[in-house]
Amino acid sequence: MTSLRSLYTSDGDGPEFGTNMNVDYVIHYRIPKDGAEAEAGFIQLVEALSRAGLATEVRSGDDSSLLVFVKVASEKLLASHIYRERVQDWLYGVRIIAPDKTVAVEFSSRPVSEAERLRTVYLLITKPKNEGGAGITPKIGQWKDIVSIFPLHNHAFNRQWIKQWSSKYLLNDKDLDQIRDKFGESVAFYFAFLQSYFAFLIFPAAFGFAAWLLLSRYSTFYTLLNSLWSVIFFEWWKKKEVDLAVQWGVRGVSRIQRPRTQFRWDREAADPVTGETVKVYSPVKRLKIQLLQVPFALVCLTILGALYVFCFSIEIFLSEVYDGPFKSYLTFTPTVILSGALPALSAILSSFAEHLTEKENFETVDSHHASLVQKLFVINFVTSYTPLFLTAFVYMPFGNLLVPYLNIFNITSEQSSGEDSVVAESFTINPDRLKKQVIYFTVTAQIVNLGVEVVMPYVKRKVFKEVEKAQSKKTATSDVPEEHAFLERVRDEAKLDVYDVTGDYREMVIQFGYLSLFSAIWPLTPCSFLINNWIELRSDAMKIAVTSQRPIPWRADSIGPWLNALGFLSWVGSLVSSAIVYLFSGEAEGPGGDPSGIVGWGLLLSILLAEHAYLAAQFVVRHVLSQIDSPGLQKERAERFAMRKQTLEESIGDALTEKPLSLPLQTAEKITRESLEEDARRISIHGGGTPEQMFWLRQQGVDETIRIGRQFITEAKAAKR
Amino acid sequence: MTSLRSLYTSDGDGPEFGTNMNVDYVIHYRIPKDGAEAEAGFIQLVEALSRAGLATEVRSGDDSSLLVFVKVASEKLLASHIYRERVQDWLYGVRIIAPDKTVAVEFSSRPVSEAERLRTVYLLITKPKNEGGAGITPKIGQWKDIVSIFPLHNHAFNRQWIKQWSSKYLLNDKDLDQIRDKFGESVAFYFAFLQSYFAFLIFPAAFGFAAWLLLSRYSTFYTLLNSLWSVIFFEWWKKKEVDLAVQWGVRGVSRIQRPRTQFRWDREAADPVTGETVKVYSPVKRLKIQLLQVPFALVCLTILGALYVFCFSIEIFLSEVYDGPFKSYLTFTPTVILSGALPALSAILSSFAEHLTEKENFETVDSHHASLVQKLFVINFVTSYTPLFLTAFVYMPFGNLLVPYLNIFNITSEQSSGEDSVVAESFTINPDRLKKQVIYFTVTAQIVNLGVEVVMPYVKRKVFKEVEKAQSKKTATSDVPEEHAFLERVRDEAKLDVYDVTGDYREMVIQFGYLSLFSAIWPLTPCSFLINNWIELRSDAMKIAVTSQRPIPWRADSIGPWLNALGFLSWVGSLVSSAIVYLFSGEAEGPGGDPSGIVGWGLLLSILLAEHAYLAAQFVVRHVLSQIDSPGLQKERAERFAMRKQTLEESIGDALTEKPLSLPLQTAEKITRESLEEDARRISIHGGGTPEQMFWLRQQGVDETIRIGRQFITEAKAAKR
């Protein structure tokens, strides 16, 4: 990792990286073409910020933009906002112990982290005016000229972070806590997940390696272990997630919903609950749009599926049937088509997904995000796994039947070449094709991906920087010399990509899918992932520290919608891998096995059994894990207990002061039943004796009850004799 | 229902039914044989009660028992206990609004219901001494001579209740609220469930009837509708349950766990959370015992399955193969064997299940109960559905192959009769057998069950009463004449069964199973259940009011473990009914269809498809229902909102008084960049100017920022030209 480290170090040495000038946020304002509009927009921006209690400084950006530096004008105002948020957390049950009534005590017992401060300031900038914010929404409506709002990197921390991580094998809780304090729980959860996944991968890597050495291909035993592992990992993570949320004090934070600015409402109505005016959008309308997800998924499947089938057919034809001229060049055709068409199609479908989600018109950021992720997952599922599905379930079992239909190419190429050099005969299924494909997706593609993700942006940035330096020298001149280096640094950061944790989650979840669905084909898959993810952890850190703007430190209490995707893949894995094992384990010995030994009901039965075994295993694992205590839950219980004890002691007062009335054990006079009845009769004569009163007056005091009871006991004995 | 009504009325007319003498509970104490032990035990009982603040009166019971009447000595003590419980509810989040700090105000705004009072008194009697109770645990240890502790029926209410319910078609929320106020949420939830289930049955009854009229047997369409219905009902009930819990103020009450008296601990240890001494039982030990559930389920399946296979074989042989002497008598053999052996075996297995659960040694009443219910459900599942499974999946498809093996009986009967009159030839499968069996289980058995459940205990009770009256006249003589009638009534109630809602749930859940698994065979099933459940609702009310002791009014926030059983049956239903439809729908036209048209993979495929269609439907229904608001959740939100508003207003104080500091828009002097830099330089010369301070001093106030910004904008425009 030394190279990665130096990559960073070479960049962060000057004194301009030592201070952020107390800047909380930088607003990157693109100057519109119309001069009047530009000035008006800028003035509105500065005034809105000022009204929300934020101090501003403006500096020039690049040729056509301004950088507005923002910090909170008064620390007291910020403290009051943070305190208010903490109280809200308490009311929503996110934190169990109420904030101390003295603000100073509260902040000294639970200091404000960088992430908390930055989040609060961001909310102050973006919250609507009636809630005390500046109401600034980048890129939207009135604020369409605001390119971005970003905090400045803490380069001292970043450098140390990268240095630390690149020199240790495993991350511990402290490392994650640091991420949380700097980048918020949302990013910290990603790293926590990746770290857990990485650590868990050691098991399948070990038995995968053993299976590769000792067992035959398509091993049932390996598949069972792998499936069980995926259940355990999934269930364990669900628990760990809760635990982390408690430790980080964000459990249930997803209940505090951030309203979406783009939400459009049908009408305003009085809330039946609060009586306040709320914005209503008909859930039926939304449901109608949500139904479009079904055709959307089908369209994705059809379009991407068709593309794959097309390329697949060409590929098979060229590599295994065709033997005409230019074969060595032509074999690249499908790759060229795919690498051109696939990203384009994916992008079109993704933007369509975004559109659809926009139309669903959610009220909160979280529900919008979850819905979008769901759709992106469908696209990713199809693009990632279709080639393997085609090979495993179409080419391998039915190749002999289907390849002759590729004659259509045969004819075409005959016509074009004008000769009879195409040999479509002697076709046999290539049994290694499946394995080769899996290796491609689990090794080659991962390496390529790493390059695209980290090295390319870094190189791109360096190149752009040089080009720009050459082009425009003039902005530099207008800076005050002391600030020049700092401002240049900020201008650089303004040009960086916005970091989106979604992309990183997607990558890992799709990877988990390869493991769960297809690793039966090549049991070294988990080993490859283990190595890849060790690097991935560091390279993602690099991505945040070097090639992205510092992310807004949002909170989160889980990995969100990806959890469902993970569960789904783990479950589909049980179906797909059992089918693969059933189909191919027989032919493991000799190549080009005969599919006649395979029976429909055998395949279905193995799928059915595997699925139910999976569900049963899930049930058992869930039960066992639920029995185990975890530090986070223990902490929560302890806090709850302390809170309860305190509340009980403090606020109940009068009601509980009374001690149970112990009736005195009187030294009673000798009482016969007759005298008691006498008493009762006397009461009834003197009035005031209801039957109920009389009933309870017959035995006065415990002693009498005991006496009479003994009498009954003696009588009962006597009667028995 | 007039007869049921009169059944009750004839019984509750005397003045002794008008009052309960302010008695809260009656403790039925059986006098042990040893006289000294008897007296000591009795004295301990009375003293323990007295120490917990309870007043007592003793009367003689039957020949060998005492009745100890208990009431709370001081209403203030009771109030303090109830108030304390309400505070606890609030701390656990069961109620959202905190109890009013003045006890009187709290009780006048939320009056104490009969159920709440009785529950509190019961806890006072049974709670351990160190928690302020009397520590009395009926039937266990020191208190083994206490037969029962029961509250007295409120006969005035009961009479009105039965009268009302027997004269209306549908119950409404008010009826359920009444039950809740008198018998607690636990019983009220059962009636709410039964009522909802009854109302929902109208749909399958309607389309079942239509299917019976119009469609062929084993209709796919009916099965799909029925399966969809069961999904909707299940998901709807899950929502309704939460709603009811909120309305009744018991949501989350299951979190407040009642400790089990029988819990045995390994060791005492300091709780890591609270520091208090707690009793620890190793979860690993428990897990080991829980693993025994698997062999237990297998044993149930084997034993009961073997019994059924045995009887089934005899039955088939006798009814459809055998044609020898005494045939008309012999056909009853299997019925006789079954009705003798099945209840005995069930009882043995149930007591085994109880033993096993006892061994699992749970800490709380709820977890113990849930675990027991799970085991009982296994037994009930096997006993209820095995006959139909055998007919549908063994007899019908394989009858032709298997029946010849019944020759073993053939030989035996040949030897015994000495003649050749047994005709084992000409065997054909009886296609109506399945339908007949379903009709038996869904109509005949339900009617028989109703008789056993309601009419028999009533008759039994009447008879016993007469017998007893004839036998012992003497206890009557020792009573005070005014109390005699009342005491006789109490003695009667002491002899009644303890009402256990578990049995009633079991009956309904098993019924739901018939509907979900087998109603494809006979689509009139839901009609039969609809009628049955109308009566069931009333007869269960009768059971509580007339033939059982008044139940202890426990709280509950759901139907508990039965919910899982319901979900399980609904899911298994999708598998079983699709298999049935696939197997038999082809032969619907002609009897004795040929199984050769049935293929293994077709069966498996239809099961696989049905199951996944079921899961997909469940997903969709869940999603749609989650979009719909419910009155209970609305109420909860309203309370939470009010609470939050109040807390925010009350307790935050100083931190929020500060208004955002709006920086004054100064009428600034004309500022040039040069003069600003001058300022900054001045500061740096005079010391005290860190780079950060200087950065923020360049533009003093909003006006300056705006001015400088405008300058930048103008410059940018100029540069572009």
Side-chain angles (χ1 to χ4, degrees):
Chain A
M1 295 309 291
T2 339
S3 62
L4 276 183
R5 209 190 312 168
S6 63
L7 208 72
Y8 187 86
T9 327
S10 72
D11 199 44
D13 265 348
E16 68 269 26
F17 294 100
T19 175
N20 280 345
M21 297 286 179
N22 295 338
V23 171
D24 286 321
Y25 276 88
V26 177
I27 299 181
H28 192 193
Y29 179 74
R30 188 182 53 222
I31 303 171
K33 289 215 173 112
D34 177 0
E37 194 196 316
E39 290 196 11
F42 173 73
I43 293 169
Q44 277 172 350
L45 171 65
V46 175
E47 286 183 357
L49 289 169
S50 151
R51 242 179 257 111
L54 296 159
T56 48
E57 285 275 330
V58 66
R59 298 290 186 273
S60 93
D62 54 21
D63 293 350
S64 58
S65 68
L66 297 180
L67 296 173
V68 181
F69 292 85
V70 177
K71 74 165 183 178
V72 173
S74 126
E75 287 299 317
K76 213 175 155 195
L77 172 73
L78 180 71
S80 110
H81 273 281
I82 292 178
Y83 188 81
R84 189 193 275 266
E85 201 193 38
R86 289 186 177 187
V87 169
Q88 196 195 35
D89 281 0
W90 173 65
L91 290 172
Y92 276 88
V94 172
R95 60 184 276 172
I96 288 154
I97 300 168
D100 197 285
K101 280 179 186 165
T102 317
V103 179
V105 175
E106 167 65 20
F107 285 137
S108 74
S109 69
R110 296 180 166 226
V112 179
S113 72
E114 249 180 67
E116 191 172 11
R117 180 195 170 96
L118 285 176
R119 188 178 61 249
T120 311
V121 177
Y122 188 79
L123 286 174
L124 210 53
I125 298 173
T126 53
K127 258 196 302 195
K129 284 180 184 154
N130 57 7
E131 291 173 27
I136 292 166
T137 49
K139 293 185 187 167
I140 294 165
Q142 185 190 357
W143 308 107
K144 65 180 187 307
D145 296 318
I146 293 176
V147 182
S148 61
I149 303 180
F150 60 94
L152 290 175
H153 271 297
N154 182 337
H155 284 275
F157 168 77
N158 284 1
R159 203 171 322 145
Q160 198 214 345
W161 176 30
I162 301 297
K163 197 175 145 194
Q164 257 189 12
W165 280 29
S166 52
S167 58
K168 68 200 297 186
Y169 283 106
L170 283 167
L171 307 182
N172 55 34
D173 286 355
K174 232 186 96 240
D175 296 321
L176 295 174
D177 284 351
Q178 272 191 335
I179 302 297
R180 178 215 164 204
D181 286 346
K182 300 292 170 185
F183 302 106
E185 287 80 7
S186 168
V187 172
F189 256 112
Y190 169 69
F191 282 105
F193 170 73
L194 185 47
Q195 162 64 21
S196 300
Y197 176 44
F198 165 72
F200 256 79
L201 269 176
I202 292 170
F203 300 101
F207 61 72
F209 186 73
W212 180 74
L213 275 184
L214 306 171
L215 300 175
S216 61
R217 274 161 63 190
Y218 307 114
S219 145
T220 312
F221 185 67
Y222 169 78
T223 310
L224 281 178
L225 270 185
N226 187 50
S227 201
L228 184 64
W229 171 85
S230 82
V231 172
I232 294 175
F233 171 64
F234 179 65
E235 296 297 328
W236 180 86
W237 172 255
K238 277 206 291 190
K239 212 173 142 73
K240 176 74 180 173
E241 195 177 68
V242 172
D243 214 49
L244 281 173
V246 172
Q247 274 176 36
W248 290 340
V250 288
R251 183 169 186 195
V253 91
S254 56
R255 265 175 284 161
I256 304 175
Q257 299 277 355
R258 274 189 292 148
R260 245 179 99 241
T261 338
Q262 298 96 314
F263 174 63
R264 303 170 313 283
W265 52 95
D266 285 346
R267 57 195 169 83
E268 297 195 272
D271 189 322
V273 171
T274 61
E276 285 180 338
T277 313
V278 285
K279 290 141 184 175
V280 183
Y281 181 73
S282 155
V284 178
K285 274 194 195 172
R286 181 173 302 140
L287 214 61
K288 275 184 197 158
I289 304 229
Q290 283 179 322
L291 284 180
L292 290 178
Q293 287 193 33
V294 179
F296 172 76
L298 292 177
V299 164
C300 289
L301 195 64
T302 316
I303 293 184
L304 294 170
L307 176 68
Y308 272 121
V309 170
F310 177 63
C311 292
F312 192 78
S313 311
I314 299 180
E315 193 192 335
I316 299 287
F317 174 73
L318 289 175
S319 66
E320 286 163 38
V321 181
Y322 182 74
D323 205 14
F326 311 116
K327 178 169 173 162
S328 51
Y329 301 101
L330 282 171
T331 37
F332 288 107
T333 327
T335 317
V336 171
I337 298 178
L338 263 190
S339 48
L342 199 59
L345 277 178
S346 285
I348 292 170
L349 288 172
S350 296
S351 89
F352 195 68
E354 268 169 46
H355 247 74
L356 207 59
T357 316
E358 201 66 48
K359 278 257 181 272
E360 285 177 58
N361 192 24
F362 286 103
E363 270 178 80
T364 61
V365 174
D366 281 355
S367 46
H368 177 86
H369 179 69
S371 179
L372 180 61
V373 161
Q374 208 177 318
K375 293 184 194 69
L376 293 181
F377 178 68
V378 171
I379 300 175
N380 278 288
F381 187 90
V382 177
T383 48
S384 308
Y385 307 132
T386 307
L388 287 167
F389 275 122
L390 282 177
T391 308
F393 300 118
V394 179
Y395 169 77
M396 298 283 275
F398 304 116
N400 285 324
L401 303 171
L402 294 176
V403 168
Y405 290 99
L406 295 178
N407 264 330
I408 186 153
F409 294 109
N410 200 342
I411 291 158
T412 326
S413 55
E414 246 181 327
Q415 286 173 340
S416 63
S417 66
E419 284 170 65
D420 208 342
S421 60
V422 182
V423 182
E425 306 302 301
S426 76
F427 169 74
T428 48
I429 289 169
N430 176 357
D432 276 339
R433 185 182 164 80
L434 193 55
K435 196 175 99 182
K436 274 187 191 151
Q437 255 185 327
V438 169
I439 295 178
Y440 168 75
F441 280 111
T442 57
V443 181
T444 324
Q446 301 278 335
I447 294 171
V448 170
N449 200 31
L450 192 71
V452 171
E453 213 179 350
V454 179
V455 184
M456 218 155 83
Y458 185 79
V459 172
K460 203 171 77 183
R461 190 186 152 202
K462 283 278 172 195
V463 172
F464 272 159
K465 223 166 158 180
E466 292 305 316
V467 171
E468 257 172 25
K469 256 185 196 156
Q471 278 185 345
S472 72
K473 292 265 174 198
K474 58 192 173 312
T475 49
T477 56
S478 72
D479 288 342
V480 178
E482 304 96 284
E483 288 178 7
H484 177 64
F486 173 72
L487 289 177
E488 279 299 289
R489 185 201 129 194
V490 174
R491 283 173 197 130
D492 278 350
E493 287 189 26
K495 282 187 203 95
L496 295 179
D497 297 330
V498 174
Y499 175 73
D500 183 10
V501 77
T502 307
D504 283 342
Y505 273 126
R506 191 182 51 208
E507 200 184 326
M508 283 303 111
V509 168
I510 292 296
Q511 191 197 77
F512 178 82
Y514 282 119
L515 186 61
S516 155
L517 271 67
F518 300 108
S519 74
I521 296 165
W522 188 57
L524 286 182
T525 303
C527 298
S528 157
F529 288 162
L530 185 71
I531 297 164
N532 178 76
N533 291 359
W534 192 91
I535 303 169
E536 183 79 29
L537 252 173
R538 276 86 189 160
S539 75
D540 283 340
M542 282 292 294
K543 189 158 83 177
I544 293 178
V546 181
T547 60
S548 305
Q549 286 175 1
R550 180 169 183 170
I552 316 281
W554 292 118
R555 296 198 290 183
D557 62 356
S558 73
I559 61 169
W562 294 108
L563 191 72
N564 287 336
L566 219 58
F568 177 76
L569 285 174
S570 165
W571 168 68
V572 173
S574 75
L575 303 178
V576 172
S577 58
S578 65
I580 286 175
V581 168
Y582 178 79
L583 283 177
F584 305 124
S585 62
E587 354 169 346
E589 283 75 37
D594 178 28
S596 64
I598 291 159
V599 239
W601 68 263
L603 178 64
L604 289 168
L605 190 65
S606 62
I607 292 177
L608 206 65
L609 289 180
E611 181 175 17
H612 289 96
Y614 172 84
L615 293 174
Q618 189 181 47
F619 182 81
V620 171
V621 170
R622 224 171 252 182
H623 177 75
V624 171
L625 281 179
S626 75
Q627 304 285 311
I628 299 167
D629 211 2
S630 73
L633 294 175
Q634 217 168 53
K635 181 186 167 206
E636 195 180 54
R637 280 212 311 281
E639 285 182 351
R640 221 180 270 284
F641 177 81
M643 193 269 296
R644 257 181 223 134
K645 208 169 163 186
Q646 196 194 342
T647 318
L648 263 174
E649 280 162 6
E650 265 178 19
S651 68
I652 298 177
D654 59 334
L656 294 182
T657 50
E658 178 165 1
K659 289 256 175 276
L661 273 171
S662 179
L663 296 184
L665 294 164
Q666 296 167 301
T667 47
E669 22 159 2
K670 192 100 185 164
I671 294 168
T672 59
R673 208 179 309 141
E674 287 70 31
S675 76
L676 273 173
E677 279 165 31
E678 198 51 46
D679 277 358
R681 220 159 277 147
R682 218 183 315 127
I683 289 165
S684 78
I685 289 162
H686 291 283
T690 64
E692 288 83 7
Q693 278 174 336
M694 280 167 45
F695 184 87
W696 287 98
L697 276 172
R698 297 212 188 267
Q699 292 152 14
Q700 290 172 359
V702 178
D703 257 16
E704 284 188 28
T705 307
I706 290 174
R707 222 170 283 249
I708 307 280
R710 286 172 125 176
Q711 216 167 308
F712 283 134
I713 292 173
T714 321
E715 279 174 24
K717 297 279 154 206
K720 279 266 165 76
R721 260 169 228 138
Chain B
M1 295 309 294
T2 338
S3 62
L4 277 182
R5 208 189 314 170
S6 63
L7 206 73
Y8 188 85
T9 327
S10 72
D11 198 47
D13 266 347
E16 68 270 25
F17 294 100
T19 177
N20 280 346
M21 297 287 180
N22 296 338
V23 171
D24 287 320
Y25 277 88
V26 177
I27 299 180
H28 192 193
Y29 179 75
R30 187 185 53 222
I31 303 171
K33 289 211 174 116
D34 177 1
E37 193 197 317
E39 288 196 11
F42 173 73
I43 292 168
Q44 275 173 351
L45 172 67
V46 174
E47 286 184 357
L49 289 170
S50 152
R51 243 180 255 112
L54 297 159
T56 48
E57 284 275 329
V58 65
R59 301 289 185 273
S60 94
D62 54 21
D63 292 351
S64 59
S65 69
L66 297 180
L67 296 173
V68 181
F69 293 85
V70 177
K71 74 166 182 180
V72 173
S74 127
E75 287 298 318
K76 215 176 154 194
L77 171 73
L78 181 71
S80 110
H81 274 281
I82 293 179
Y83 187 80
R84 188 193 275 267
E85 201 193 38
R86 289 186 179 187
V87 170
Q88 196 195 32
D89 281 359
W90 174 65
L91 290 173
Y92 276 88
V94 172
R95 60 183 277 173
I96 288 154
I97 300 169
D100 196 285
K101 281 180 185 165
T102 318
V103 179
V105 174
E106 167 65 21
F107 286 138
S108 76
S109 68
R110 297 179 167 226
V112 179
S113 72
E114 249 180 66
E116 192 172 10
R117 179 194 170 97
L118 285 176
R119 188 179 59 250
T120 311
V121 177
Y122 187 79
L123 286 174
L124 210 52
I125 297 173
T126 54
K127 259 197 300 198
K129 281 176 188 158
N130 57 6
E131 293 173 27
I136 292 165
T137 48
K139 294 184 185 167
I140 294 165
Q142 182 191 0
W143 308 108
K144 64 182 189 304
D145 297 319
I146 293 177
V147 183
S148 61
I149 302 181
F150 61 94
L152 290 174
H153 271 296
N154 181 338
H155 284 276
F157 168 77
N158 285 1
R159 203 172 321 145
Q160 198 215 343
W161 175 29
I162 301 298
K163 198 174 144 191
Q164 257 188 11
W165 281 28
S166 54
S167 57
K168 67 199 302 185
Y169 284 105
L170 284 166
L171 308 182
N172 54 33
D173 286 354
K174 232 184 99 241
D175 296 320
L176 295 174
D177 284 350
Q178 273 191 337
I179 302 298
R180 178 215 164 203
D181 286 345
K182 300 292 169 185
F183 301 106
E185 287 80 7
S186 167
V187 171
F189 256 111
Y190 170 68
F191 282 106
F193 170 73
L194 185 47
Q195 163 63 23
S196 300
Y197 176 43
F198 165 72
F200 256 80
L201 269 176
I202 292 170
F203 300 100
F207 61 72
F209 187 72
W212 179 74
L213 275 182
L214 307 171
L215 300 175
S216 61
R217 273 162 64 189
Y218 307 112
S219 145
T220 312
F221 185 67
Y222 168 80
T223 310
L224 281 178
L225 270 184
N226 187 50
S227 203
L228 183 65
W229 171 85
S230 82
V231 172
I232 294 176
F233 170 63
F234 178 64
E235 296 297 328
W236 180 87
W237 171 256
K238 278 206 291 190
K239 210 174 144 73
K240 176 74 180 174
E241 195 176 68
V242 172
D243 214 49
L244 281 173
V246 172
Q247 274 176 37
W248 289 340
V250 287
R251 183 168 186 197
V253 91
S254 56
R255 266 176 283 163
I256 305 174
Q257 298 275 358
R258 272 188 292 145
R260 246 178 99 241
T261 338
Q262 297 96 313
F263 173 64
R264 303 171 313 281
W265 53 96
D266 285 345
R267 55 195 170 83
E268 295 195 274
D271 189 323
V273 171
T274 60
E276 286 181 338
T277 314
V278 286
K279 292 142 184 175
V280 183
Y281 182 71
S282 155
V284 178
K285 273 194 194 173
R286 182 174 301 138
L287 214 61
K288 274 185 198 159
I289 304 229
Q290 282 179 323
L291 284 179
L292 289 178
Q293 286 193 31
V294 179
F296 172 75
L298 291 178
V299 164
C300 288
L301 194 64
T302 315
I303 294 184
L304 294 169
L307 176 68
Y308 272 121
V309 170
F310 177 63
C311 292
F312 192 78
S313 312
I314 300 181
E315 196 192 333
I316 299 288
F317 174 73
L318 288 175
S319 65
E320 286 162 39
V321 181
Y322 181 75
D323 204 15
F326 310 116
K327 176 168 176 164
S328 49
Y329 300 102
L330 282 171
T331 39
F332 288 107
T333 327
T335 317
V336 171
I337 298 177
L338 263 189
S339 48
L342 199 59
L345 277 178
S346 286
I348 292 169
L349 289 172
S350 297
S351 89
F352 194 68
E354 267 168 49
H355 247 74
L356 209 59
T357 316
E358 200 67 47
K359 277 258 181 272
E360 287 178 56
N361 191 24
F362 286 104
E363 268 178 81
T364 61
V365 174
D366 281 354
S367 46
H368 177 86
H369 179 68
S371 177
L372 180 61
V373 161
Q374 208 177 318
K375 294 184 194 69
L376 292 180
F377 178 68
V378 171
I379 301 175
N380 278 287
F381 187 90
V382 177
T383 48
S384 307
Y385 307 132
T386 307
L388 287 167
F389 276 121
L390 282 178
T391 308
F393 300 117
V394 179
Y395 169 78
M396 299 282 277
F398 305 114
N400 284 324
L401 303 171
L402 295 175
V403 166
Y405 291 98
L406 296 178
N407 264 332
I408 186 152
F409 294 110
N410 199 342
I411 291 158
T412 326
S413 54
E414 246 182 325
Q415 286 172 336
S416 64
S417 65
E419 284 172 66
D420 206 344
S421 59
V422 183
V423 183
E425 306 299 303
S426 75
F427 167 76
T428 48
I429 288 168
N430 177 356
D432 276 339
R433 187 182 161 80
L434 194 56
K435 196 175 101 182
K436 273 186 191 153
Q437 256 186 326
V438 169
I439 296 178
Y440 168 75
F441 280 111
T442 57
V443 181
T444 324
Q446 301 278 335
I447 295 171
V448 170
N449 200 30
L450 192 72
V452 171
E453 211 179 352
V454 179
V455 183
M456 218 153 82
Y458 186 80
V459 172
K460 203 170 77 181
R461 188 183 155 205
K462 284 278 172 196
V463 172
F464 272 158
K465 223 166 159 181
E466 291 305 317
V467 171
E468 256 173 25
K469 254 185 196 157
Q471 279 184 342
S472 72
K473 290 272 174 194
K474 60 193 172 310
T475 49
T477 54
S478 73
D479 289 341
V480 179
E482 305 94 285
E483 288 177 6
H484 177 63
F486 172 72
L487 289 177
E488 281 297 291
R489 184 201 129 196
V490 175
R491 282 172 198 132
D492 278 350
E493 289 189 25
K495 284 190 202 92
L496 295 179
D497 297 331
V498 173
Y499 175 72
D500 181 9
V501 78
T502 307
D504 283 342
Y505 273 126
R506 191 180 52 209
E507 202 184 325
M508 283 302 111
V509 169
I510 291 296
Q511 192 197 76
F512 177 82
Y514 282 120
L515 186 60
S516 155
L517 271 66
F518 300 108
S519 74
I521 296 165
W522 188 55
L524 286 182
T525 303
C527 299
S528 157
F529 288 161
L530 185 71
I531 298 164
N532 178 75
N533 291 359
W534 194 91
I535 302 168
E536 184 78 27
L537 252 175
R538 276 85 191 159
S539 74
D540 284 340
M542 281 292 294
K543 188 157 84 177
I544 293 178
V546 181
T547 60
S548 306
Q549 286 175 2
R550 180 169 183 172
I552 316 281
W554 291 119
R555 294 198 292 182
D557 61 356
S558 74
I559 61 171
W562 293 108
L563 192 71
N564 286 336
L566 220 58
F568 177 76
L569 285 174
S570 167
W571 168 68
V572 172
S574 75
L575 304 178
V576 171
S577 57
S578 64
I580 287 176
V581 168
Y582 178 79
L583 283 177
F584 306 124
S585 62
E587 356 168 344
E589 283 74 37
D594 177 28
S596 63
I598 291 161
V599 237
W601 68 262
L603 178 63
L604 289 169
L605 189 67
S606 62
I607 291 177
L608 207 65
L609 289 179
E611 181 176 14
H612 290 98
Y614 173 85
L615 293 174
Q618 190 181 45
F619 183 81
V620 172
V621 169
R622 222 172 254 180
H623 176 76
V624 171
L625 282 179
S626 75
Q627 303 286 309
I628 299 167
D629 212 2
S630 75
L633 293 176
Q634 218 167 54
K635 183 187 165 203
E636 195 179 54
R637 278 213 310 282
E639 284 181 353
R640 222 179 268 283
F641 178 80
M643 193 268 296
R644 257 182 224 134
K645 210 169 162 184
Q646 197 193 341
T647 318
L648 264 174
E649 280 162 5
E650 265 178 20
S651 69
I652 298 177
D654 58 334
L656 293 184
T657 50
E658 177 166 1
K659 288 261 175 275
L661 272 172
S662 177
L663 296 183
L665 295 165
Q666 295 167 300
T667 47
E669 22 161 359
K670 193 99 184 166
I671 295 167
T672 60
R673 209 178 308 141
E674 288 70 32
S675 74
L676 274 172
E677 279 166 31
E678 200 47 49
D679 277 358
R681 220 159 278 147
R682 219 184 313 129
I683 291 166
S684 75
I685 290 162
H686 290 284
T690 64
E692 288 83 8
Q693 277 174 336
M694 278 167 46
F695 184 86
W696 288 97
L697 276 171
R698 300 216 185 265
Q699 293 151 16
Q700 289 173 1
V702 178
D703 258 14
E704 283 185 26
T705 307
I706 289 174
R707 223 170 280 250
I708 306 280
R710 284 173 127 174
Q711 218 166 307
F712 283 135
I713 292 174
T714 321
E715 279 173 25
K717 296 279 154 206
K720 279 267 165 73
R721 261 170 227 136

